[in-house]
Structure formats: C-alpha cells, structure tokens
Amino acid sequence: MLGVALLKVPVTDIDRAVAFYEDALGLAARFVAAEYGWAQLDGASVVIALYVPGRGGGDRSPGGSFDFHLSHDRLDELLSTVRRAAPDAAIHDNDDGSRSLEFTDPDGNSIKVMQRG
C-alpha cells in the first residue's frame, strides 16, 4: 500500500515561512537548509516540506490553493492560535455540512484545515 511521505509547499523565503508555520500551526522545524531552499516540519500526520521553487524541491509557484487539506479535531482552538500569525483566518460552515478553517500564509498560499470527526 502506498502512503504519503510529505506535502510540499512553495514559498519565497524559507526562514520567514518556517517561522510562520511554527507560529500558526504549532509545527516544529526538523530540518532547515536555507542554502538549498528547503525545510521539513514535524507536528502533522505527514511531514510538511517548504521549498523555494527552482532550487531542487519543485517548481510550483507560491500562491493559490493547495491540492490538499489538513485536518484537526478542534478548529475553534486552532483558530485562536492561527489568528496570531494569520489575521485573515476564519472558520467556514460549508454547504456539505463540514467546517473548515481557512487562511493564507505570507506567500499567498491558501491553507484549508477541515474539522475532523
């Protein structure tokens, strides 16, 4: 069976992005190589990797929506943490009955965290 090894997020500045994801989502940098434009963060069920396009990690442009959503058990608690780093953070009641926390990172990447359970 295949699994997911990591989720990659394109950014323009590794140090700024690492600080944002640590502050907003409580992730912890496991490995940062700014000279290669790469960082790996722990604290999710899958490793989150940040990369500067064109430096070996991929070539997707920063900004826009991801092709994945994260999930969390307590969106309301997470909102108070995320809002300190992302003032645009808001919880949405979706048409299908689900709830999601949505915000953008400093590079304009749209992040969606779905209510789990």
Side-chain angles (χ1 to χ4, degrees):
M1 175 192 287
L2 290 175
V4 176
L6 55 85
L7 301 176
K8 296 184 341 183
V9 178
V11 299
T12 58
D13 182 306
I14 286 294
D15 294 328
R16 179 182 69 177
V18 166
F20 176 83
Y21 282 84
E22 287 179 326
D23 291 345
L25 294 173
L27 301 176
R30 173 181 15 160
F31 174 79
V32 178
E35 64 273 22
Y36 300 113
W38 184 265
Q40 290 179 208
L41 306 170
D42 287 334
S45 60
V46 64
V47 173
I48 307 252
L50 307 173
Y51 72 96
V52 175
R55 298 192 57 196
D59 60 5
R60 183 182 172 276
S61 297
S65 61
F66 294 140
D67 294 327
F68 62 85
H69 302 314
L70 301 171
S71 64
H72 195 275
D73 291 325
R74 295 178 302 279
L75 285 187
D76 297 299
E77 285 179 29
L78 184 59
L79 173 62
S80 64
T81 302
V82 170
R83 196 171 268 156
R84 291 191 307 249
D88 66 334
I91 292 178
H92 300 274
D93 294 316
N94 302 310
D95 291 339
D96 65 359
S98 66
R99 295 177 75 221
S100 58
L101 168 58
E102 300 177 30
F103 58 98
T104 55
D105 74 4
D107 287 298
N109 292 307
S110 299
I111 301 164
K112 185 180 277 191
V113 182
M114 301 300 297
Q115 175 75 45
R116 189 170 33 223

